[in-house]
Amino acid sequence: MTDCQLIQISDIHLTSAGMLFPGARPRENLLAGLELLAGAGLAPDMVILTGDLANTGESACYQDLAEIMDRAIGVLGGRVVYLPGNHDERSAFRCYLLGQDPDSSPINQIHWIDGLRVVSLDSVVVGEEYGELGDETLAFLRDAIATPAPSG
């Protein structure tokens, strides 16, 4: 495998009101950041968006984020991976960002870039401000890495 470029963007905290608190405009900040990435001429293999994508888990925020990232990936290339955080609501997250049926179980995923395995683990503890890897997630990780990946 040749060089692989991953970009991680974390803690977007989108709100339907457009403002997180006075002066903090997460949607505008995300759009400005994506514009900077595009202007830098980067060609990521994967853009990974991690935890607290929507500040209160509103479906409209996930719909908006999916549309924003579809446009961004159209310019940047690569693909997008979404991983929830403690402010995210798993059912809406699954529906709007992953195109899956609503479900509240952990959102653990494996993505491949040629022979590189990218494992994303859900550490959400519903209703809490902290995160941890639960038994189901740890079992997923054990299974995911049981067989070595060709490129790591």
Side-chain angles (χ1 to χ4, degrees):
M1 181 179 154
T2 59
D3 289 341
C4 177
Q5 188 174 80
L6 305 176
I7 293 174
Q8 179 185 7
I9 301 171
S10 188
D11 292 275
I12 299 168
H13 287 273
L14 289 178
T15 67
S16 60
M19 193 177 305
L20 186 56
F21 50 82
R25 293 180 169 78
R27 186 179 195 278
E28 291 175 25
N29 292 339
L30 174 61
L31 291 171
L34 292 169
E35 189 174 314
L36 286 171
L37 288 173
L42 298 175
D45 296 286
M46 187 177 288
V47 177
I48 305 169
L49 290 125
T50 56
D52 298 347
L53 303 183
N55 193 57
T56 60
E58 296 171 90
S59 296
C61 294
Y62 299 124
Q63 287 177 297
D64 187 33
L65 181 58
E67 291 169 9
I68 289 169
M69 292 311 298
D70 283 348
R71 287 190 303 273
I73 292 300
V75 173
L76 293 170
R79 61 184 156 169
V80 65
V81 170
Y82 300 101
L83 185 64
N86 60 302
H87 286 239
D88 290 305
E89 198 284 315
R90 286 180 177 145
S91 289
F93 188 105
R94 274 186 200 285
C95 182
Y96 295 104
L97 296 178
L98 304 179
Q100 299 174 355
D101 290 334
D103 180 334
S104 62
S105 64
I107 300 172
N108 300 309
Q109 305 165 77
I110 299 173
H111 299 275
W112 292 90
I113 303 172
D114 296 325
L116 176 68
R117 176 178 44 218
V118 177
V119 180
S120 60
L121 303 174
D122 183 338
S123 64
V124 171
V125 177
V126 177
E128 298 295 339
E129 289 294 316
Y130 65 91
E132 67 183 15
L133 300 179
D135 292 340
E136 183 178 344
T137 295
L138 290 171
F140 177 87
L141 177 60
R142 277 191 296 277
D143 289 344
I145 64 174
T147 304
S151 296

